[in-house]
């Protein structure tokens, strides 16, 4: 389904306090709305494709995460059925290679999911990039570490991991600005008739043509095809960075993300990561499914 971008501009917020480089002001022709829920395992499983798309074609677009609440069937009958959620998470982990430890719902269930969503919007008040980094840290803490991301102590730890201004984040967490931003995201989700997450909408800001909406999780090539269609050209993908630079930039990554970005087999990825492990450039993170690594920036 296609959508016009007209009428959506008013829902965008401007943060004059954020620190931007010159390149943040360079207008990119495409804006990608990514409708997500921090507790959705399929949204977490989208991460490898977003990373690869950003590396290969990020010069053409900016990503705008939209926090959409609990839309999917797997989330609607959820919090009173922890065993069902555990099974759904772990089936997703087995299918996608992105670890989702469903024991969370038995051992340390998330009590108030909306608080994590509000916290993401509070982080965004320090800049779009800050908000995206914070969202990733929320996902790492819930899917890999089984943390209750509605616990304020966990949120503050995520803020520290994201290098946010902690005092500012604490002030913004329950602020009117954060609440309004979250309500804008929910309103936009409804207006665009997004009824499943993840959903991605591609908009060409340089034309009046309608956007293209993709609901669900698809192979990487589908996202590239849509990007090329809306650009109306076939651009050459940018070169991939050296593996160690990639790891340094993202901090924590999974074998699945590395394999997707570099077009490597699982065996090739494991071989390359073992080399870095022997050099102590990375440390292995114990997770229930797959393999994740933390870059040692020391």
């Amino acid at each position: 389904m296609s959508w016009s971008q007209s009428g959506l501009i008013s829902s965008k917020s401007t943060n004059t306090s954020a620190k931007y480089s010159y390149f943040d002001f360079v207008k990119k022709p495409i804006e990608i709305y990514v409708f997500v829920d921090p507790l959705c395992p399929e949204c977490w499983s989208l991460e490898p494709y977003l990373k690869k798309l950003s590396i290969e074609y990020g010069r053409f677009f900016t990503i705008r995460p939209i926090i959409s609440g609990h839309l999917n069937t797997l989330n609607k009958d959820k919090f009173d059925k922890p065993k069902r959620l555990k099974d759904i998470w772990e089936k997703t982990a087995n299918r996608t290679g992105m670890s989702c430890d469903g024991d969370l719902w038995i051992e340390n269930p998330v009590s108030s999911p909306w608080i994590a969503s509000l916290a993401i919007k509070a982080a965004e008040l320090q800049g779009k990039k800050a908000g995206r980094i914070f969202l990733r840290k929320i996902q790492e803490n819930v899917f890999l570490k089984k943390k209750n991301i509605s616990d304020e102590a966990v949120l503050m730890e995520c803020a520290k991991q994201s290098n946010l201004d902690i005092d500012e984040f604490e002030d913004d967490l329950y602020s009117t600005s954060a609440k309004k931003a979250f309500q804008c995201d929910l309103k936009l989700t409804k207006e665009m008739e997004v009824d499943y997450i993840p959903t991605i909408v591609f908009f060409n800001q340089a034309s009046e043509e309608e956007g293209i909406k993709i609901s669900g999780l698809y192979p990487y090539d589908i996202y590239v095809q849509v990007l090329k269609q809306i650009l109306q050209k076939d651009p050459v993908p940018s070169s991939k960075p050296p593996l160690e630079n990639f790891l340094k930039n993202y901090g924590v990554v999974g074998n699945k993300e590395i394999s997707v970005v570099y077009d490597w087999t699982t065996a090739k990825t494991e071989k390359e990561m073992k080399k870095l492990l022997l050099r102590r450039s990375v440390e292995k993170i114990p997770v229930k499914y797959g393999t994740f690594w933390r870059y040692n920036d020391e």
Side-chain angles (χ1 to χ4, degrees), residues 164-227:
L164 297 183
D165 182 311
I166 301 301
D167 291 336
E168 188 176 335
F169 174 76
E170 194 169 16
D171 289 342
D172 288 336
L173 183 54
Y174 297 107
S175 68
T176 300
S177 296
K179 290 175 182 176
K180 283 184 177 178
F182 184 33
Q183 287 300 319
C184 280
D185 279 13
L186 296 177
K187 181 181 179 184
L188 188 56
T189 301
K190 185 176 180 180
E191 287 176 350
M192 299 188 68
E193 299 179 10
V194 172
D195 55 10
Y196 192 88
I197 46 176
T199 286
I200 296 180
V201 184
F202 293 77
F203 285 112
N204 188 336
Q205 300 186 90
S207 76
E208 295 298 321
E209 293 184 8
E210 295 180 325
I212 299 176
K213 182 167 77 170
I214 307 175
S215 296
L217 193 61
Y218 287 86
Y220 176 70
D221 289 347
I222 298 298
Y223 302 112
V224 174
Q225 287 174 23
V226 172
L227 182 64

Side-chain angles (χ1 to χ4, degrees), residues 77-278:
D77 60 354
K78 55 198 178 310
F79 295 108
D80 57 340
K81 297 180 181 179
K83 179 63 167 64
R84 172 169 163 72
L85 261 183
K86 171 182 164 68
D87 291 344
I88 290 169
W89 274 35
E90 300 197 349
K91 284 178 182 177
T92 304
N94 277 320
R95 187 179 80 250
T96 66
M98 290 291 283
S99 188
C100 311
D101 194 336
D103 288 339
L104 167 81
W105 298 105
I106 309 298
E107 300 171 4
N108 191 25
V110 179
S111 51
S112 303
W114 65 271
I115 294 178
S117 297
L118 194 63
I120 294 166
K121 305 317 292 184
E124 284 183 2
L125 294 174
Q126 297 189 36
K128 291 180 180 179
K129 183 178 180 180
R132 289 195 299 271
I133 293 171
F134 183 79
L135 170 58
R136 171 70 185 203
K137 294 306 175 185
I138 285 280
Q139 291 173 314
E140 289 172 9
N141 276 271
V142 72
F143 292 116
L144 305 181
K145 300 180 182 179
K146 299 184 290 184
K147 296 287 186 70
N148 177 359
I149 55 170
S150 61
D151 185 322
E152 285 191 32
V154 174
L155 295 175
M156 297 307 295
E157 182 60 31
C158 289
K160 290 176 184 175
Q161 293 168 2
S162 306
N163 294 318
L164 297 183
D165 182 311
I166 301 301
D167 291 336
E168 188 176 335
F169 174 76
E170 194 169 16
D171 289 342
D172 288 336
L173 183 54
Y174 297 107
S175 68
T176 300
S177 296
K179 290 175 182 176
K180 283 184 177 178
F182 184 33
Q183 287 300 319
C184 280
D185 279 13
L186 296 177
K187 181 181 179 184
L188 188 56
T189 301
K190 185 176 180 180
E191 287 176 350
M192 299 188 68
E193 299 179 10
V194 172
D195 55 10
Y196 192 88
I197 46 176
T199 286
I200 296 180
V201 184
F202 293 77
F203 285 112
N204 188 336
Q205 300 186 90
S207 76
E208 295 298 321
E209 293 184 8
E210 295 180 325
I212 299 176
K213 182 167 77 170
I214 307 175
S215 296
L217 193 61
Y218 287 86
Y220 176 70
D221 289 347
I222 298 298
Y223 302 112
V224 174
Q225 287 174 23
V226 172
L227 182 64
K228 290 179 178 180
Q229 179 181 337
I230 204 164
L231 281 170
Q232 297 183 342
K233 61 181 178 180
D234 191 0
V236 176
S238 298
S239 300
K240 298 176 178 67
L243 177 58
E244 199 158 346
N245 289 7
F246 172 76
L247 296 168
K248 184 176 182 180
N249 183 58
Y250 287 105
V252 173
V253 296
N255 272 7
K256 172 71 173 184
E257 294 175 295
I258 297 166
S259 295
V260 167
V261 167
Y262 289 92
D263 300 304
W264 289 346
T265 63
T266 301
K268 167 71 171 175
T269 296
E270 289 175 350
K271 180 181 178 181
E272 295 300 320
M273 292 309 297
K274 282 179 181 177
K275 292 178 186 176
L276 294 179
L277 184 63
L278 289 172

